[in-house]
Amino acid sequence: MSDHLMATYARLPVRFERGEGPWLWDERGNRYLDALSGIAVCNLGHAHPAVARAVCEQAATLVHVSNLYRIGPQETLAERLCARAGMDAAFFANSGAEANEAAIKLARLWGHRRGVQNPTIVVAEGSFHGRTLATLTATGNRKVQAGFEPLVHGFLRVPYDDLEALEAVARNMPEVVAVLVEPVQGEGGVRIPSAGYLAGIRSLCDRQGWLMMLDEVQTGMGRTGRWFGWQHENVTPDVMTLAKALGNGVPIGACLARGEAASVFQPGSHASTFGGNPLACRAGLAVLDVMESEDLVARAAALGKRLRAELKERLAPLPGVVEVRGRGLMVGVELDRPCGELVGRALEQERLLINVTADRVLRLLPPLTLADEEAHRIVDAVSRLVAAFVGG
Ligand SMILES: *Cc1c(COP(=O)(O)O)cnc(C)c1O
């Protein structure tokens, strides 16, 4: 481990040098299968030629000019994302946390314009929205917050997947201006809300005049088998954020909004030096091109269904397995005990990259470009690991 890196991560003892599709090679030439995609980032796999080409071309043409000038690729990316998502306007940032910061600021400004003194945003238990001060406050996990007090005012927490709790907020809290939730909680353990939850939030927001804001940083860009997580419920949010897979590894985040919410920010309201620069936006455009031409959203839906069915068949009978669940290629295997050590075992014994979240949930977020044969390998390896773990 390097002495010169702040110890923000307990890193696994492997250094990858090269990747191709779902495969990675370490410095000794060992090959690994990546069922995590850099945490739902490299949805097209590693070193995708179309993204590499776009980034190389743009790097050799123009990397950055600042948002003081018009930026062609940024305008095109905004137009294409808005068309895809039914949104009217985009603000580009460099990460998920920043995209959410933009959404939070937008909601507050929107509230103040309507005369609300202390605009309050309702957030959920078990949520994850990032590590900046406002987004860690919005995050429903004490471990993320502890030691960073004082936290930011203006958030109100309710249980996830609980419309009753939101109704109670509506009755009692006049300063609420927005609800911010994930369509599926990723870091919270691949938690899928009941059918009707997002639709219920939509009607509540309509009735109360609240903004419905969805954090699609992990669920967005095809991961769940739809372009965006809210499309599983046929509702449209007022504000949504994207990041992880938007640049296939090139840092980029976006806050999209429609209707009145789209014109809240005015010159001076919000800004980013790097956000939406030509390089990042070219990567985003290349990602959209590949997703569309290879129909990867449908692929994620179909392959995800099969992968989950196979995992269920192999794992559900085991005593320590609580549930196999997921949406598209966002997959969780919940065990009855903490299983963090499976990550190291998978790496060592199976040369497989997986993740464990919420202590007891083994999480798979493989590239959407995964071949059937590679999906089988993941199922085999995960089944062996889990069977050995709960069996002994
Ligand atoms: C990863 C994630 C974030 C934070 O993104 P960063 O790019 O790490 O800032 C926010 N929300 C959700 C749902 C995420 O999964």
Side-chain angles (χ1 to χ4, degrees), residues 9 39 94-98 100 128-131 182 184 186-187 215-219 241 243-244 363:
Y9 284 88
I39 320 179
N94 312 286
S95 67
E98 276 181 77
N100 287 333
F128 183 78
H129 298 296
R131 297 284 196 155
E182 296 152 90
V184 174
E187 304 309 300
D215 179 343
E216 293 264 5
V217 167
Q218 188 163 152
T219 48
T241 54
K244 289 193 163 89
R363 179 172 52 162

Side-chain angles (χ1 to χ4, degrees), residues 9 34-43 46 128 186-187 217-219 223 243-245 353-355 357 363-366:
Y9 284 88
D34 187 357
L36 187 59
S37 312
I39 320 179
V41 167
C42 299
N43 279 10
H46 298 284
F128 183 78
E187 304 309 300
V217 167
Q218 188 163 152
T219 48
R223 173 55 57 187
K244 289 193 163 89
L353 276 68
I354 59 166
N355 172 251
T357 187
R363 179 172 52 162
L364 303 175
L365 299 162

Side-chain angles (χ1 to χ4, degrees), residues 7 30 57 68 129 198 229 259 290 303 342 346 369 380:
N30 298 314
E57 240 177 63
L68 302 178
H129 298 296
L198 296 183
V290 175
L303 186 63
L342 280 177
T369 51
D380 281 343

Side-chain angles (χ1 to χ4, degrees), residues 21 44 91 103 118 145 167 195 199 290 302 317 332 350:
L44 312 185
F91 169 82
N118 290 295
Q145 299 170 341
E167 286 288 354
V290 175
E350 301 285 348

Side-chain angles (χ1 to χ4, degrees), residues 6-356:
M6 292 194 190
T8 50
Y9 284 88
R11 295 170 197 268
L12 290 156
V14 61
R15 268 195 297 235
F16 297 112
E17 285 202 321
R18 184 166 72 80
E20 195 182 313
W23 299 100
L24 287 164
W25 286 264
D26 71 11
E27 53 200 344
R28 273 177 256 132
N30 298 314
R31 188 176 80 149
Y32 299 77
L33 183 53
D34 187 357
L36 187 59
S37 312
I39 320 179
V41 167
C42 299
N43 279 10
L44 312 185
H46 298 284
H48 193 287
V51 181
R53 209 176 314 117
V55 169
C56 287
E57 240 177 63
Q58 193 60 47
T61 308
L62 183 69
V63 171
H64 179 87
V65 287
S66 91
N67 286 299
L68 302 178
Y69 310 95
R70 291 183 63 168
I71 297 172
Q74 185 184 119
E75 293 177 10
T76 312
L77 184 59
E79 201 178 301
R80 285 181 62 183
L81 283 175
C82 284
R84 273 270 161 234
M87 297 286 137
D88 293 320
F91 169 82
F92 288 103
N94 312 286
S95 67
E98 276 181 77
N100 287 333
E101 283 275 346
I104 291 163
K105 286 180 69 176
L106 189 156
R108 286 184 168 200
L109 201 53
W110 187 81
H112 281 296
R113 297 241 171 95
R114 309 183 142 215
V116 179
Q117 296 282 316
N118 290 295
T120 300
I121 300 171
V122 183
V123 291
E125 286 170 11
S127 63
F128 183 78
H129 298 296
R131 297 284 196 155
T132 63
L133 276 172
T135 58
L136 76 81
T137 304
T139 291
N141 178 349
R142 267 307 291 165
K143 276 192 216 157
V144 171
Q145 299 170 341
F148 300 107
E149 297 83 357
L151 302 182
V152 175
H153 292 291
F155 292 96
L156 183 68
R157 193 170 310 286
V158 296
Y160 188 61
D161 193 19
D162 185 343
L163 287 172
E164 266 308 302
L166 281 171
E167 286 288 354
V169 167
R171 283 192 297 275
N172 301 314
M173 310 296 291
E175 306 229 281
V176 168
V177 295
V179 178
L180 171 66
V181 296
E182 296 152 90
V184 174
Q185 288 189 336
E187 304 309 300
V190 191
R191 259 195 87 188
I192 301 166
S194 320
Y197 179 56
L198 296 183
I201 293 179
R202 179 68 273 172
S203 27
L204 195 61
C205 286
D206 288 340
R207 197 185 79 204
Q208 296 295 123
W210 298 345
L211 293 176
M212 177 179 182
M213 309 205 295
L214 292 180
D215 179 343
E216 293 264 5
V217 167
Q218 188 163 152
T219 48
M221 302 302 292
R223 173 55 57 187
T224 68
R226 299 283 170 90
W227 275 92
F228 310 107
W230 48 261
Q231 289 171 325
H232 291 275
E233 282 209 17
N234 208 18
V235 294
T236 313
D238 301 297
V239 177
M240 58 180 275
T241 54
L242 294 172
K244 289 193 163 89
L246 183 52
N248 208 52
V250 177
I252 180 169
C255 173
L256 309 179
R258 73 182 173 103
E260 270 180 60
S263 50
V264 170
F265 285 148
Q266 292 301 316
S269 307
H270 195 44
S272 169
T273 297
F274 292 132
N277 83 14
L279 189 75
C281 290
R282 269 301 290 279
L285 286 168
V287 167
L288 288 179
D289 287 342
V290 175
M291 300 249 324
E292 287 168 5
S293 67
E294 297 182 15
D295 206 5
L296 289 181
V297 178
R299 172 84 189 144
L303 186 63
K305 205 169 164 191
R306 288 206 299 278
L307 187 83
R308 290 198 311 276
E310 285 176 31
L311 278 172
K312 237 176 227 168
E313 196 184 308
R314 303 272 291 270
L315 295 178
L318 299 177
V321 176
V322 176
E323 191 183 24
V324 177
R325 59 175 176 258
R327 224 166 230 176
L329 282 171
M330 187 168 185
V331 179
V333 179
E334 184 176 341
L335 304 187
D336 65 356
R337 66 202 79 173
C339 60
E341 63 200 84
L342 280 177
V343 174
R345 290 196 196 176
L347 196 71
E348 263 176 48
Q349 296 168 12
E350 301 285 348
R351 296 214 170 126
L352 175 74
L353 276 68
I354 59 166
N355 172 251
V356 167

